[in-house]
Amino acid sequence: MTAIEAHRVAVLLLDGVSTFDIGVPSQIFGAARDRRTDAPLYDVRVCTADGAPVRTAAGFTVTPDPRSDGALATADTVVVTGVKGPSAYLGPPPSPALVHVLRDAAAHRRLVSLCTGAFVLAAAGVLDGRPATTHWSYADEFLARHPAVRLDPGVLFVDDGSVLTSAGVGAGIDLCLHVVRRDHGADVANHAARRCVVPPWRAGGQRQYIERPLPGGDSGAVASTAATRAWAAQRLDRPLQLRDLAEHSTMSVRTFTRRFREETGVSPARWLAAQRLDLARRLLERTDLSVDAVAGRAGFGTATSLRQHLHAEVGVAPSEYRRTFHS
DNA sequence: TAGATAACCCGCCACC
DNA sequence: AAGGTGGCGGGTTATC
């Protein structure tokens, strides 16, 4: 076995590309290094569909990497960046050649989209029947145009195996870190995050959820589990069962579970675990409480349980987490 | 580390 | 007729 071959990443820029998205894959994948040798683990090439320069959303022009010839067709991972403005999702559909490349990547390699890049994937038909996400403010339009896609606008990113999509801007960082983590483990991903001065803790987990950011006004219904969430957040140190939460909201367990999921995008237990982990992290960062005490305050039954959750999320033990982030 | 036990999750469906 | 509700079953996941 000779030198480790770097995983090849082709970043596709389309006309009107969001300037933020241009840098994200290069930064994150570029920061992923072998822990022993510091050798780069990814070989990132910035491409355009036809090799010609493209104009960015900000108006300046970007020339693709001269080494990018053929990279789209051969890269292990193809990243489709977001496009600002209507060109990608209202303009002409992707060329047959591009459709072929995207389908091939989805089927035999790996296909990643950032932000509105999901529109391009959908137009190429690779998202039909798959779970996916995109920038939340385009969710309605996306669903109207691509009803066969199982769009979930309430998540930061969706990992569907060989096809991965992310929500707006910052979520692209999370997705790239997630990919690094999947390929090389939490340790490498954490170091890449640190190198980029990005919080590594959003890099963990299989799927990342956020409070559903859909604009208000839909049917005027107030989130009916919000009060219970606020109530629960004040008593994380105590045991809280689904039954208790449902009781507080004066709903049956079944209805509460259903509404909670609709409103937050996560199940109650997952939400609760995330809240507890947040609290535990703050306590590790800001206090000198023992790990046992932190576990107790955050409502984890045992320190072992806290260790498991923290490890799943960030990839490190409580003591190491504290060593890194205690101020 | 492993396994018993408990809790959760969600499709299904009858019932307002 | 249509839509919300909530009990149930049992596969999945968490806990100790």
Side-chain angles (χ1 to χ4, degrees):
Chain A
M1 191 89 166
T2 52
I4 300 167
E5 203 169 311
H7 182 110
R8 291 162 302 163
V9 178
V11 181
L12 173 64
L13 311 186
L14 296 168
D15 202 43
V17 61
S18 148
T19 52
F20 186 87
D21 289 359
I22 298 174
V24 167
S26 302
Q27 282 289 320
I28 301 295
F29 290 123
R33 305 299 182 86
D34 184 274
R35 296 287 292 120
R36 279 189 309 110
T37 66
D38 203 43
L41 293 167
Y42 295 88
D43 174 8
V44 185
R45 308 280 171 99
V46 174
C47 316
T48 59
D50 55 5
V54 293
R55 206 174 147 84
T56 70
F60 59 86
T61 300
V62 175
T63 306
D65 190 329
R67 308 166 304 156
S68 69
D69 238 22
L72 281 174
T74 58
D76 304 302
T77 295
V78 173
V79 180
V80 180
T81 54
V83 171
K84 200 76 170 273
S87 57
Y89 51 97
L90 290 180
S95 71
L98 182 54
V99 168
H100 176 77
V101 163
L102 296 178
R103 289 191 177 163
D104 180 69
H108 306 298
R109 300 178 279 146
R110 185 164 61 195
L111 186 58
V112 173
S113 76
L114 308 181
C115 197
T116 50
F119 278 90
V120 181
L121 270 54
V126 302
L127 293 182
D128 287 352
R130 283 183 183 271
T133 193
T134 188
H135 193 290
W136 61 267
S137 66
Y138 296 113
D140 288 344
E141 174 155 12
F142 188 96
L143 277 172
R145 293 175 65 84
H146 306 292
V149 179
R150 289 155 51 202
L151 186 77
D152 188 344
V155 302
L156 281 180
F157 60 79
V158 172
D159 176 348
D160 191 38
S162 64
V163 178
L164 302 91
T165 50
S166 58
V169 278
I173 295 175
D174 293 287
L175 178 53
C176 290
L177 283 170
H178 170 76
V179 168
V180 172
R181 183 188 162 92
R182 219 176 80 171
D183 290 345
H184 299 288
D187 200 33
V188 169
N190 289 344
H191 276 82
R194 217 166 291 169
R195 208 180 282 249
C196 297
V197 199
V198 164
W201 50 78
R202 294 218 307 183
Q206 198 186 11
R207 280 179 117 207
Q208 296 282 329
Y209 294 94
I210 52 178
E211 183 94 10
R212 202 158 274 206
L214 299 177
D218 49 331
S219 78
V222 177
S224 54
T225 61
T228 298
R229 292 205 298 280
W231 172 77
Q234 293 306 118
R235 41 167 44 233
L236 292 173
D237 57 317
R238 277 163 278 190
L240 282 172
Q241 289 192 5
L242 192 49
R243 190 191 323 127
D244 305 321
L245 301 178
E247 226 162 72
H248 179 269
S249 69
T250 60
M251 286 179 222
S252 70
V253 170
R254 183 67 190 89
T255 296
F256 180 79
T257 305
R258 180 162 35 214
R259 299 285 281 275
F260 196 100
R261 207 190 163 104
E262 285 166 7
E263 288 166 20
T264 68
V266 231
S267 68
R270 277 186 182 282
W271 178 87
L272 197 56
Q275 297 301 308
R276 292 192 152 134
L277 195 55
D278 273 347
L279 175 56
R281 282 205 311 247
R282 288 199 296 275
L283 292 172
L284 287 170
E285 289 169 21
R286 298 175 194 171
T287 74
D288 291 314
L289 292 168
S290 69
V291 174
D292 269 311
V294 168
R297 292 267 196 106
F300 291 100
T302 63
T304 306
S305 179
L306 167 59
R307 283 197 181 85
Q308 267 175 4
H309 281 273
L310 191 67
H311 196 270
E313 182 83 358
V314 194
V316 299
S319 56
E320 190 187 340
Y321 183 88
R322 171 171 272 161
R323 211 173 306 130
T324 310
F325 293 107
H326 197 300
S327 44

